[in-house]
Amino acid sequence: QNGLMVLDSKTQTTKKVDLRYHGPRLLYGNSVPLIKKDSYGNLWASANGHVYIKEKNAANFLAVKFPVPSNALQTPQMWSLSEYKDGWLIGTNIGLYKAVKNGDRYHINFVAHTGQSKITNTWVNRNQEVWIIMEAKGILIVKDIDDKAEPARIFSDVNVKSVQHDAPHQLLWIATSEGLIAYHLPSGTHTYYGEAAGLANSYIYGVIPTHDELWLSTNYGLSRAKTTYTNQSFFPNIEFTNFTKADGLLANEFNTGA
């Protein structure tokens, strides 16, 4: 809520980054929901209705203003970033944007045909299909982001908070308000894991897969999921271990992005 800070690892001191732009200060303008590095070494963030890009080895951030649809009710903030073909996809609280770089300038355009729902995440598969994770309306699957054809939609009845691709097992792990979904990409089948399976809480915000474990942030602490695969199933057996304030966490409730 108070802008972007940088930590000096040698002195262990912090200072605020000056995200400059020309224009009025906006309500919640200092809020920076996400900072992310792309494969080129560029850092991306957003504040005050602008995207900020610090290119690799550059001293300062570049400011690029979000174009805002005339009927939008909020100022856009960046909640996700994915690389896509010759540019980037930016998920915001008012929909999807596409960014490209021409010469030394960045250009950002609103992708109107995907609507104005809040986008918490995007994932681009090896076929360059775009999976758009909408917080309140499930997941859109778009074959080409420039094609205005009606996209496929899955899990429209749950709030989807984030996804993580598990390439070795050909799964997409989907964190939702109703539990953890394992979605098998080749077959399109899926299974749920919830509190009955030992999960700390069914409302999951984030999921991080490791070699044989998942870490899940929930509305009631952290869950560590030990996964065991057999030859007979696409989906693993999971043994959950849960952690709360009693185990040293500062709080039990996590939130979007954590």
Side-chain angles (χ1 to χ4, degrees):
Q1 296 291 335
N2 295 312
L4 182 62
M5 308 295 291
V6 60
L7 170 67
D8 187 318
S9 59
K10 293 181 180 180
T11 64
Q12 294 296 300
T13 58
T14 61
K15 65 178 181 180
K16 190 171 183 177
V17 177
D18 185 12
L19 298 177
R20 299 180 181 181
Y21 80 104
H22 298 289
R25 290 288 169 183
L26 303 172
L27 184 65
Y28 304 116
N30 287 330
S31 176
V32 180
L34 177 72
I35 181 167
K36 188 167 182 179
K37 180 186 285 188
D38 65 22
S39 66
Y40 303 98
N42 306 320
L43 289 178
W44 295 69
S46 74
N48 282 300
H50 288 67
V51 175
Y52 291 90
I53 306 146
K54 185 178 183 295
E55 295 184 321
K56 186 177 181 179
N57 300 322
N60 300 306
F61 281 85
L62 302 170
V64 185
K65 185 176 176 60
F66 277 115
V68 182
S70 59
N71 60 342
L73 301 178
Q74 297 178 321
T75 300
Q77 294 178 307
M78 182 175 73
W79 285 89
S80 70
L81 180 76
S82 297
E83 294 176 38
Y84 176 69
K85 294 184 177 179
D86 58 346
W88 302 263
L89 296 175
I90 302 172
T92 77
N93 51 309
I94 66 165
L96 186 68
Y97 287 82
K98 182 180 178 182
V100 296
K101 185 179 182 184
N102 294 322
D104 60 351
R105 297 179 64 87
Y106 289 85
H107 301 272
I108 298 176
N109 294 297
F110 183 68
V111 185
H113 59 274
T114 59
Q116 291 188 22
S117 295
K118 180 179 178 180
I119 296 173
T120 57
N121 206 344
T122 53
W123 175 62
V124 181
N125 68 17
R126 63 184 180 182
N127 297 322
Q128 293 297 293
E129 290 180 332
V130 181
W131 293 52
I132 303 172
I133 290 76
M134 296 183 166
E135 187 175 55
K137 296 182 179 180
I139 300 175
L140 291 183
I141 305 173
V142 181
K143 292 187 179 296
D144 188 320
I145 206 65
D146 297 315
D147 186 353
K148 297 182 180 180
E150 185 70 20
R153 188 187 295 270
I154 59 174
F155 305 120
S156 59
D157 57 341
V158 298
N159 292 340
V160 179
K161 308 301 292 186
S162 64
V163 301
Q164 285 287 344
H165 183 216
D166 183 350
H169 300 108
Q170 298 182 293
L171 294 176
L172 197 66
W173 292 105
I174 305 173
T176 82
S177 59
E178 305 296 329
L180 177 67
I181 299 174
Y183 185 90
H184 186 245
L185 292 161
S187 67
T189 58
H190 70 278
T191 191
Y192 275 91
Y193 302 89
E195 292 177 28
L199 188 63
N201 186 272
S202 291
Y203 205 116
I204 306 172
Y205 293 101
V207 52
I208 298 176
T210 61
H211 175 64
D212 60 353
E213 292 180 342
L214 305 169
W215 284 90
L216 312 169
S217 58
T218 81
N219 253 352
Y220 193 72
L222 283 174
S223 288
R224 182 181 65 197
K226 180 74 172 180
T227 56
T228 304
Y229 290 84
T230 65
N231 293 330
Q232 287 76 35
S233 177
F234 299 141
F235 308 109
N237 296 318
I238 293 183
E239 180 181 348
F240 290 99
T241 304
N242 301 316
F243 302 90
T244 65
K245 286 180 67 175
D247 302 295
L249 296 181
L250 294 178
N252 287 331
E253 183 177 343
F254 287 75
N255 283 292
T256 301

Coordinates of all heavy atoms in Angstrom, one line a residue, residues 58-97:
A58 N 19.5 -1.2 -16.3 CA 19.1 0.2 -16.3 C 19.0 0.8 -14.9 O 18.8 0.1 -13.9 CB 17.7 0.4 -16.9
A59 N 19.2 2.1 -14.8 CA 19.2 2.7 -13.4 C 17.8 3.0 -12.9 O 17.6 3.0 -11.7 CB 20.0 4.0 -13.5
N60 N 16.9 3.3 -13.8 CA 15.6 3.8 -13.4 C 14.4 3.0 -14.1 O 14.7 2.3 -15.1 CB 15.4 5.3 -13.7 CG 16.4 6.1 -13.0 OD1 16.5 6.0 -11.8 ND2 17.1 6.9 -13.7
F61 N 13.2 3.1 -13.6 CA 12.1 2.5 -14.2 C 11.5 3.4 -15.3 O 11.5 4.7 -15.2 CB 11.0 2.3 -13.2 CG 11.1 1.1 -12.3 CD1 11.9 1.2 -11.1 CD2 10.5 -0.1 -12.6 CE1 12.1 0.1 -10.3 CE2 10.7 -1.2 -11.8 CZ 11.5 -1.1 -10.6
L62 N 11.0 2.8 -16.4 CA 10.2 3.5 -17.4 C 8.8 3.5 -17.0 O 8.3 2.5 -16.5 CB 10.4 2.9 -18.8 CG 11.8 2.8 -19.3 CD1 11.8 1.8 -20.5 CD2 12.4 4.1 -19.6
A63 N 8.0 4.6 -17.2 CA 6.6 4.6 -16.9 C 5.8 4.6 -18.2 O 6.1 5.3 -19.1 CB 6.3 5.9 -16.2
V64 N 4.8 3.6 -18.3 CA 4.0 3.5 -19.4 C 2.5 3.5 -18.9 O 2.2 2.7 -18.1 CB 4.2 2.2 -20.2 CG1 3.4 2.2 -21.5 CG2 5.7 2.1 -20.6
K65 N 1.7 4.4 -19.4 CA 0.4 4.6 -18.9 C -0.6 3.5 -19.4 O -0.5 3.2 -20.6 CB -0.2 5.9 -19.3 CG -1.6 6.2 -18.7 CD -2.0 7.7 -19.0 CE -3.4 7.9 -18.5 NZ -3.6 7.8 -17.1
F66 N -1.4 2.9 -18.5 CA -2.4 2.0 -19.0 C -3.5 2.7 -19.7 O -4.0 3.7 -19.2 CB -3.1 1.3 -17.8 CG -2.4 0.1 -17.2 CD1 -1.9 0.2 -15.9 CD2 -2.3 -1.1 -17.9 CE1 -1.3 -0.9 -15.3 CE2 -1.7 -2.2 -17.3 CZ -1.2 -2.1 -16.0
P67 N -3.9 2.3 -20.9 CA -5.1 2.9 -21.6 C -6.3 2.3 -20.8 O -6.3 1.1 -20.6 CB -5.0 2.4 -23.0 CG -4.2 1.2 -23.0 CD -3.2 1.3 -21.8
V68 N -7.2 3.1 -20.5 CA -8.4 2.7 -19.7 C -9.7 2.8 -20.5 O -10.0 3.8 -21.0 CB -8.5 3.5 -18.4 CG1 -9.6 3.0 -17.5 CG2 -7.2 3.5 -17.6
P69 N -10.4 1.7 -20.6 CA -11.7 1.7 -21.2 C -12.6 2.8 -20.6 O -12.6 3.0 -19.4 CB -12.3 0.3 -21.0 CG -11.1 -0.5 -20.8 CD -10.1 0.3 -20.0
S70 N -13.4 3.4 -21.4 CA -14.3 4.5 -20.9 C -15.3 4.1 -19.9 O -15.7 4.9 -19.0 CB -15.0 5.2 -22.1 OG -15.8 4.2 -22.8
N71 N -15.7 2.8 -19.9 CA -16.7 2.3 -19.0 C -16.0 1.6 -17.8 O -16.8 0.9 -17.0 CB -17.7 1.4 -19.7 CG -17.0 0.2 -20.3 OD1 -15.8 0.2 -20.5 ND2 -17.8 -0.9 -20.6
A72 N -14.7 1.6 -17.6 CA -14.1 1.0 -16.5 C -14.4 1.7 -15.2 O -14.4 3.0 -15.2 CB -12.6 0.9 -16.7
L73 N -14.5 1.0 -14.1 CA -14.9 1.6 -12.9 C -13.7 1.7 -11.9 O -13.8 2.3 -10.8 CB -16.0 0.8 -12.2 CG -17.3 0.6 -13.0 CD1 -18.3 -0.2 -12.2 CD2 -17.9 2.0 -13.2
Q74 N -12.5 1.2 -12.3 CA -11.4 1.2 -11.4 C -10.1 1.6 -12.2 O -10.1 1.5 -13.5 CB -11.1 -0.2 -10.8 CG -12.3 -0.6 -9.9 CD -12.0 -2.0 -9.3 OE1 -11.5 -2.9 -10.0 NE2 -12.3 -2.2 -8.0
T75 N -9.1 2.0 -11.5 CA -7.8 2.2 -12.1 C -7.0 0.9 -12.2 O -7.0 0.2 -11.2 CB -7.0 3.2 -11.3 OG1 -7.7 4.5 -11.2 CG2 -5.6 3.5 -11.9
P76 N -6.5 0.6 -13.4 CA -5.8 -0.8 -13.5 C -4.6 -0.9 -12.6 O -3.8 0.0 -12.5 CB -5.5 -0.8 -15.0 CG -5.5 0.6 -15.5 CD -6.5 1.3 -14.6
Q77 N -4.4 -2.1 -12.1 CA -3.3 -2.5 -11.3 C -2.8 -3.9 -11.8 O -3.7 -4.7 -12.1 CB -3.5 -2.6 -9.8 CG -3.9 -1.3 -9.1 CD -4.2 -1.5 -7.7 OE1 -5.0 -2.3 -7.3 NE2 -3.5 -0.8 -6.8
M78 N -1.5 -4.1 -11.9 CA -1.0 -5.3 -12.5 C -1.0 -6.4 -11.4 O -0.4 -6.3 -10.3 CB 0.4 -5.1 -13.0 CG 1.0 -6.4 -13.6 SD 2.7 -6.1 -14.3 CE 3.7 -6.0 -12.8
W79 N -1.7 -7.5 -11.7 CA -1.8 -8.7 -10.8 C -1.1 -9.9 -11.3 O -0.8 -10.9 -10.6 CB -3.2 -9.0 -10.5 CG -3.9 -8.1 -9.6 CD1 -4.5 -6.9 -9.9 CD2 -3.8 -8.1 -8.1 NE1 -4.9 -6.3 -8.7 CE2 -4.5 -7.0 -7.6 CE3 -3.3 -9.1 -7.2 CZ2 -4.7 -6.8 -6.3 CZ3 -3.5 -8.8 -5.9 CH2 -4.2 -7.7 -5.4
S80 N -0.7 -9.9 -12.6 CA 0.0 -11.0 -13.2 C 0.8 -10.6 -14.4 O 0.4 -9.6 -15.1 CB -0.9 -12.2 -13.6 OG -1.7 -11.9 -14.7
L81 N 1.8 -11.3 -14.8 CA 2.6 -11.0 -16.0 C 3.1 -12.3 -16.6 O 3.6 -13.2 -15.9 CB 3.8 -10.2 -15.6 CG 4.7 -9.8 -16.8 CD1 4.1 -8.7 -17.7 CD2 6.1 -9.4 -16.3
S82 N 2.8 -12.5 -17.9 CA 3.3 -13.7 -18.6 C 3.9 -13.3 -19.9 O 3.4 -12.3 -20.6 CB 2.2 -14.7 -18.9 OG 1.6 -15.2 -17.7
E83 N 4.9 -14.0 -20.4 CA 5.5 -13.7 -21.7 C 4.7 -14.4 -22.7 O 4.3 -15.6 -22.5 CB 7.0 -14.1 -21.7 CG 7.8 -13.2 -20.8 CD 9.3 -13.7 -20.8 OE1 9.8 -14.1 -21.8 OE2 9.9 -13.7 -19.7
Y84 N 4.4 -13.7 -23.9 CA 3.6 -14.3 -24.9 C 4.0 -13.8 -26.3 O 4.0 -12.6 -26.6 CB 2.1 -13.8 -24.7 CG 1.1 -14.3 -25.7 CD1 0.8 -15.6 -25.8 CD2 0.6 -13.4 -26.6 CE1 -0.1 -16.0 -26.8 CE2 -0.3 -13.8 -27.6 CZ -0.7 -15.1 -27.7 OH -1.6 -15.5 -28.6
K85 N 4.5 -14.8 -27.1 CA 5.0 -14.5 -28.4 C 6.0 -13.4 -28.4 O 7.1 -13.6 -27.8 CB 3.8 -14.2 -29.4 CG 2.9 -15.4 -29.6 CD 1.8 -15.1 -30.6 CE 0.9 -16.3 -30.8 NZ -0.2 -16.1 -31.8
D86 N 5.7 -12.3 -29.0 CA 6.7 -11.2 -29.1 C 6.5 -10.1 -28.0 O 7.0 -9.0 -28.1 CB 6.6 -10.5 -30.5 CG 5.2 -10.0 -30.8 OD1 4.2 -10.3 -30.0 OD2 5.0 -9.2 -31.7
G87 N 5.7 -10.5 -27.0 CA 5.5 -9.5 -25.9 C 5.1 -10.1 -24.6 O 5.7 -11.1 -24.2
W88 N 4.2 -9.4 -23.9 CA 3.8 -9.8 -22.6 C 2.3 -9.7 -22.4 O 1.7 -8.8 -23.0 CB 4.5 -8.9 -21.5 CG 6.0 -9.0 -21.6 CD1 6.9 -9.7 -20.8 CD2 6.8 -8.1 -22.4 NE1 8.2 -9.4 -21.1 CE2 8.2 -8.5 -22.1 CE3 6.6 -7.2 -23.4 CZ2 9.3 -7.9 -22.7 CZ3 7.7 -6.6 -24.0 CH2 9.0 -6.9 -23.7
L89 N 1.7 -10.5 -21.5 CA 0.3 -10.3 -21.1 C 0.3 -9.9 -19.7 O 1.0 -10.4 -18.8 CB -0.4 -11.6 -21.3 CG -0.5 -12.2 -22.7 CD1 -1.2 -13.6 -22.7 CD2 -1.3 -11.2 -23.6
I90 N -0.5 -8.8 -19.4 CA -0.6 -8.2 -18.1 C -2.0 -8.4 -17.6 O -3.0 -7.9 -18.2 CB -0.2 -6.7 -18.1 CG1 1.2 -6.5 -18.6 CG2 -0.4 -6.1 -16.7 CD1 1.5 -5.1 -18.9
G91 N -2.2 -9.2 -16.5 CA -3.5 -9.3 -15.9 C -3.7 -8.2 -14.9 O -2.9 -8.0 -14.0
T92 N -4.9 -7.6 -14.9 CA -5.2 -6.5 -14.0 C -6.6 -6.7 -13.4 O -7.3 -7.6 -13.7 CB -5.2 -5.1 -14.7 OG1 -6.4 -5.0 -15.5 CG2 -4.0 -5.0 -15.7
N93 N -6.9 -5.8 -12.5 CA -8.2 -5.8 -11.8 C -9.4 -5.4 -12.8 O -10.5 -5.6 -12.4 CB -8.2 -4.9 -10.6 CG -7.7 -3.5 -11.0 OD1 -6.6 -3.3 -11.6 ND2 -8.4 -2.4 -10.6
I94 N -9.1 -4.9 -14.0 CA -10.1 -4.5 -14.9 C -10.0 -5.3 -16.2 O -10.6 -5.0 -17.2 CB -10.2 -3.0 -15.2 CG1 -8.9 -2.6 -15.9 CG2 -10.4 -2.2 -13.9 CD1 -9.1 -1.2 -16.6
G95 N -9.2 -6.4 -16.3 CA -9.1 -7.2 -17.5 C -7.6 -7.4 -17.9 O -6.7 -7.2 -17.2
L96 N -7.5 -7.8 -19.2 CA -6.2 -8.2 -19.8 C -5.6 -7.1 -20.7 O -6.4 -6.5 -21.5 CB -6.4 -9.5 -20.5 CG -5.1 -10.2 -21.1 CD1 -4.3 -10.7 -19.9 CD2 -5.5 -11.3 -22.0
Y97 N -4.3 -6.9 -20.6 CA -3.6 -6.1 -21.5 C -2.5 -6.8 -22.2 O -1.9 -7.8 -21.6 CB -2.9 -4.9 -20.7 CG -3.9 -3.9 -20.2 CD1 -4.7 -4.0 -19.1 CD2 -4.1 -2.7 -20.9 CE1 -5.5 -3.1 -18.6 CE2 -5.0 -1.7 -20.5 CZ -5.7 -1.9 -19.3 OH -6.6 -0.9 -18.9

